[in-house]
Amino acid sequence: MNIGNVKIEGLAALAPMAGVTDKAYRKICRDFGAAFTVTEMVSSRAVIYNYKKTNELFDIEGEAYPTAIQVFGDDPQIMAEASKILAEARPAFIDVNMGCPVPKVAGNNCGSALMKTPEKCGEIVYAMSRVIDIPVTVKMRKGWDKDHVNAVEVAKICEEAGAKAVTVHGRTREQMYRPFADLSIIKEVKENVKIPVIGNGDVTDANSAVKMLEETGCDMVMVGRGALGKPWVFSEINAALRDDVRIMPEPPLSKRLLVMRKHIEDMCSLKGENRAMREARKHVAWYIHGLRGAAEFRRISSELLTLNDLDELIKDIYIENMKEE
């Protein structure tokens, strides 16, 4: 499919996740076959004010194409000005966050709170589309709450304003991440717009990806929490869609630990060992989920300070999990 003039190869993309989808993680997911990746969300106001930490979030230099940048805000003109700055980083497209449910974002009338004002959603997309020559896309939720399910309305408004694709998470802001995502709303959006529709919510493996595509008719899926600690999920999904392989075994322990080690080594190269190892602790916990002794190893991982510490932990995990049952 195409997003505007950007050709997308593949049917599963990596969702933007704050504190997770940094440059190192985007790279490893692309290595496993993600069709495209999206940066962590950046504040439109922080972009304009040239905050150093924010600038780092949308550094995509040297990354595989296509990579997108996601931005959040509630003022159409500020969003437009920020998009001009972001466009200089040469992303494939710029995505507008209309789905983040966390209070510090939604509480400031940004993210999922924009679903309460459909007209403003259109104003933001229109203002951005007028000042940049790369596609503008939107990531939204089902609605704000059970009494305000308006994803179809917002998607149609955004399409008319110039959006080139829309990603729909099948839950309201009120629902956060439970219960299961509603596939019917994704299907309904797909039936009411002409631009590509990307389905999001509870895609955790090949079967759930195939189910979403078949039941909604969406153009592709976006994987968020389902990729935490298992970037190879994209290989599994691609195998199912390309070769009709529905059941793939988990990578062997040695491969799993090797992927984790490479991921965190890349983080250290990009951010410095001291900072990267603090940030890596949550990734280690995700990678080792379900392994023998995981609870104790998670406790140890919360104290990691150096790559040498990680190597010692990997050795202990390997030894423990190679014991005969």
Side-chain angles (χ1 to χ4, degrees), residues 88-157:
E88 294 175 3
R90 301 193 177 187
F93 51 93
I94 296 177
D95 188 64
V96 182
N97 185 313
M98 296 184 187
C100 181
V102 301
K104 69 178 182 180
V105 175
N108 287 313
N109 298 316
C110 302
S112 57
L114 288 173
M115 300 293 291
K116 295 189 288 186
T117 54
E119 297 80 8
K120 181 179 282 188
C121 294
E123 291 169 4
I124 288 172
V125 172
Y126 181 73
M128 293 172 62
S129 299
R130 288 186 64 196
V131 298
I132 59 175
D133 59 3
I134 59 176
V136 174
T137 63
V138 171
K139 188 173 190 293
M140 65 175 64
R141 283 193 165 237
K142 176 179 176 178
W144 177 254
D145 58 29
K146 67 180 185 301
D147 297 320
H148 300 87
V149 175
N150 61 349
V152 172
E153 177 190 6
V154 174
K156 291 170 71 174
I157 287 173

Side-chain angles (χ1 to χ4, degrees), residues 106-231:
N108 287 313
N109 298 316
C110 302
S112 57
L114 288 173
M115 300 293 291
K116 295 189 288 186
T117 54
E119 297 80 8
K120 181 179 282 188
C121 294
E123 291 169 4
I124 288 172
V125 172
Y126 181 73
M128 293 172 62
S129 299
R130 288 186 64 196
V131 298
I132 59 175
D133 59 3
I134 59 176
V136 174
T137 63
V138 171
K139 188 173 190 293
M140 65 175 64
R141 283 193 165 237
K142 176 179 176 178
W144 177 254
D145 58 29
K146 67 180 185 301
D147 297 320
H148 300 87
V149 175
N150 61 349
V152 172
E153 177 190 6
V154 174
K156 291 170 71 174
I157 287 173
C158 289
E159 177 182 36
E160 187 174 347
K164 301 303 182 185
V166 60
T167 299
V168 182
H169 182 112
R171 295 184 181 89
T172 63
R173 190 270 180 181
E174 181 182 57
Q175 292 175 307
M176 297 294 282
Y177 296 103
R178 288 185 173 84
F180 289 112
D182 176 13
L183 299 187
S184 67
I185 191 66
I186 300 171
K187 182 176 188 290
E188 195 175 348
V189 171
K190 176 60 184 172
E191 290 171 347
N192 281 276
V193 297
K194 295 183 176 63
I195 56 176
V197 174
I198 302 168
N200 178 227
D202 296 331
V203 179
T204 58
D205 54 23
N207 284 334
S208 55
V210 171
K211 178 180 178 181
M212 180 174 282
L213 287 164
E214 289 181 345
E215 293 191 13
T216 70
C218 65
D219 297 279
M220 64 185 300
V221 300
M222 184 170 276
V223 187
R225 292 171 301 141
L228 298 178
K230 46 181 295 188

Side-chain angles (χ1 to χ4, degrees), residues 24-310:
Y25 198 59
R26 296 194 299 270
K27 180 182 184 302
I28 203 161
C29 288
R30 286 302 294 265
D31 289 345
F32 277 104
F36 67 81
T37 62
V38 189
T39 66
E40 301 172 69
M41 62 180 178
V42 298
S43 162
S44 55
R45 295 180 188 274
V47 169
I48 290 174
Y49 296 145
N50 197 31
Y51 290 164
K52 181 179 178 181
K53 187 174 181 180
T54 298
N55 292 346
E56 179 185 293
L57 291 176
F58 65 85
D59 172 21
I60 61 172
E61 184 176 358
E63 293 192 40
Y65 190 87
T67 299
I69 296 173
Q70 189 183 69
V71 61
F72 72 92
D74 68 328
D75 185 294
Q77 292 312 309
I78 291 176
M79 289 284 278
E81 289 302 313
S83 68
K84 288 194 290 186
I85 296 170
L86 296 174
E88 294 175 3
R90 301 193 177 187
F93 51 93
I94 296 177
D95 188 64
V96 182
N97 185 313
M98 296 184 187
C100 181
V102 301
K104 69 178 182 180
V105 175
N108 287 313
N109 298 316
C110 302
S112 57
L114 288 173
M115 300 293 291
K116 295 189 288 186
T117 54
E119 297 80 8
K120 181 179 282 188
C121 294
E123 291 169 4
I124 288 172
V125 172
Y126 181 73
M128 293 172 62
S129 299
R130 288 186 64 196
V131 298
I132 59 175
D133 59 3
I134 59 176
V136 174
T137 63
V138 171
K139 188 173 190 293
M140 65 175 64
R141 283 193 165 237
K142 176 179 176 178
W144 177 254
D145 58 29
K146 67 180 185 301
D147 297 320
H148 300 87
V149 175
N150 61 349
V152 172
E153 177 190 6
V154 174
K156 291 170 71 174
I157 287 173
C158 289
E159 177 182 36
E160 187 174 347
K164 301 303 182 185
V166 60
T167 299
V168 182
H169 182 112
R171 295 184 181 89
T172 63
R173 190 270 180 181
E174 181 182 57
Q175 292 175 307
M176 297 294 282
Y177 296 103
R178 288 185 173 84
F180 289 112
D182 176 13
L183 299 187
S184 67
I185 191 66
I186 300 171
K187 182 176 188 290
E188 195 175 348
V189 171
K190 176 60 184 172
E191 290 171 347
N192 281 276
V193 297
K194 295 183 176 63
I195 56 176
V197 174
I198 302 168
N200 178 227
D202 296 331
V203 179
T204 58
D205 54 23
N207 284 334
S208 55
V210 171
K211 178 180 178 181
M212 180 174 282
L213 287 164
E214 289 181 345
E215 293 191 13
T216 70
C218 65
D219 297 279
M220 64 185 300
V221 300
M222 184 170 276
V223 187
R225 292 171 301 141
L228 298 178
K230 46 181 295 188
W232 49 82
V233 70
F234 295 100
S235 296
E236 296 174 2
I237 293 172
N238 289 338
L241 298 175
R242 183 182 60 244
D243 304 321
D244 200 28
V245 177
R246 295 297 180 94
I247 300 176
M248 287 187 65
E250 285 283 306
L253 178 64
S254 57
K255 175 70 176 293
R256 192 166 171 172
L257 296 178
L258 185 65
V259 171
M260 178 177 75
R261 177 61 166 76
K262 179 63 169 66
H263 174 194
I264 295 171
E265 182 181 13
D266 286 348
M267 289 179 66
C268 291
S269 297
L270 289 165
K271 302 179 180 184
E273 189 174 49
N274 184 49
R275 174 185 166 191
M277 291 308 300
R278 293 197 307 273
E279 296 182 7
R281 294 167 183 171
K282 59 181 178 285
H283 286 285
V284 174
W286 291 325
Y287 274 110
I288 66 176
H289 177 73
L291 295 179
R292 181 202 292 267
E296 175 61 15
F297 291 134
R298 279 198 302 272
R299 184 194 66 76
I300 297 170
S301 72
S302 70
E303 301 172 353
L304 292 172
L305 295 174
T306 66
L307 274 172
N308 285 336
D309 292 341
L310 178 64

